[in-house]
Amino acid sequence: MHELDPAFRAETEDRQAAYDVSHWRKTQRERLIAERRAIPAEERTRLAGLIADRLDKEAGDPNGRIVSLYWPFRGEPDLRPWMQRVIDRGGRITLPVVVAKGEPLEFRLWSPGEKLERGIWNIPVPAAGEPVSPDIVISPLVGVDAERYRLGYGGGFYDRTLTAMATGPLVLGVGYACARLATIYPQWHDVRMDRIILA
């Protein structure tokens, strides 16, 4: 059949190519997470400070703006000290919340001291609060290529969320220098970050 019908052959090749990319991404994801977790804790703290200093410049004045950050997970840069800097300068913080598999994230306002509960992968998320639309999204990345396409954990949550937002926020991808890749083989659903900050 496949020798006679070009459409069948093309469909089979497309499926194989999609599998190959998915497998490659999974392998790279595991490698990059292992590399960043191997960075000593003191060095990760230093690098997070460098990223925070760059965010001050790249994100601009947070006064009156809503900034989405994240709770650090699996060796991601810990930007919780920068959260307080945003608040001290008149900004408000949201944390992303996974509400369901295959659905966009919700961004819920949160301030230090307010109640958190365990979300997916046991990541702390605000226990209550209405969803809001952030002006700035700080997106942690596992890998990133020269075109500013982000390799995440494979759930597609950030891509799905950014595509669904009525007004586009400024999206800043953050990570370590070891996250650089020549390409992530972007697919139609991948969303390019506006800027990338690596340290």
Side-chain angles (χ1 to χ4, degrees), residues 42-104:
E42 299 80 12
E43 178 65 1
R44 286 204 306 262
T45 298
R46 186 186 75 81
L47 295 174
L50 296 176
I51 292 169
D53 290 342
R54 287 270 313 279
L55 282 171
D56 282 336
K57 297 173 187 171
E58 297 290 343
D61 185 0
N63 186 39
R65 302 170 86 187
I66 299 174
V67 180
S68 173
L69 276 154
Y70 60 88
W71 207 266
F73 171 69
R74 300 182 77 185
E76 291 170 341
D78 185 352
L79 296 175
R80 287 175 292 181
W82 191 71
M83 287 184 187
Q84 191 60 54
R85 279 156 65 173
V86 170
I87 293 167
D88 291 344
R89 294 168 62 198
R92 293 187 293 166
I93 297 296
T94 70
L95 294 175
V97 179
V98 174
V99 292
K101 184 177 179 181
E103 294 295 322

Side-chain angles (χ1 to χ4, degrees), residues 28-186:
Q28 293 302 308
R29 187 178 293 119
E30 291 170 354
R31 177 183 69 81
L32 292 169
I33 291 171
E35 281 187 25
R36 78 179 183 200
R37 293 184 84 169
I39 299 171
E42 299 80 12
E43 178 65 1
R44 286 204 306 262
T45 298
R46 186 186 75 81
L47 295 174
L50 296 176
I51 292 169
D53 290 342
R54 287 270 313 279
L55 282 171
D56 282 336
K57 297 173 187 171
E58 297 290 343
D61 185 0
N63 186 39
R65 302 170 86 187
I66 299 174
V67 180
S68 173
L69 276 154
Y70 60 88
W71 207 266
F73 171 69
R74 300 182 77 185
E76 291 170 341
D78 185 352
L79 296 175
R80 287 175 292 181
W82 191 71
M83 287 184 187
Q84 191 60 54
R85 279 156 65 173
V86 170
I87 293 167
D88 291 344
R89 294 168 62 198
R92 293 187 293 166
I93 297 296
T94 70
L95 294 175
V97 179
V98 174
V99 292
K101 184 177 179 181
E103 294 295 322
L105 297 165
E106 279 187 3
F107 297 102
R108 295 183 191 162
L109 289 171
W110 181 78
S111 294
E114 292 180 351
K115 185 178 179 183
L116 293 167
E117 63 186 11
R118 294 286 174 182
I120 190 169
W121 300 309
N122 286 323
I123 298 173
V125 298
E130 291 297 315
V132 297
S133 293
D135 301 298
I136 302 168
V137 173
I138 310 301
S139 176
L141 51 85
V142 175
V144 65
D145 68 17
E147 299 297 315
R148 303 191 308 276
Y149 284 107
R150 169 188 178 272
L151 180 69
Y153 292 104
F157 287 107
Y158 272 99
D159 294 317
R160 194 176 297 112
T161 302
L162 296 172
T163 300
M165 293 179 75
T167 57
L170 174 64
V171 183
L172 304 174
V174 297
Y176 304 115
C178 63
R180 287 191 181 97
L181 295 167
T183 182
I184 69 157
Y185 296 102

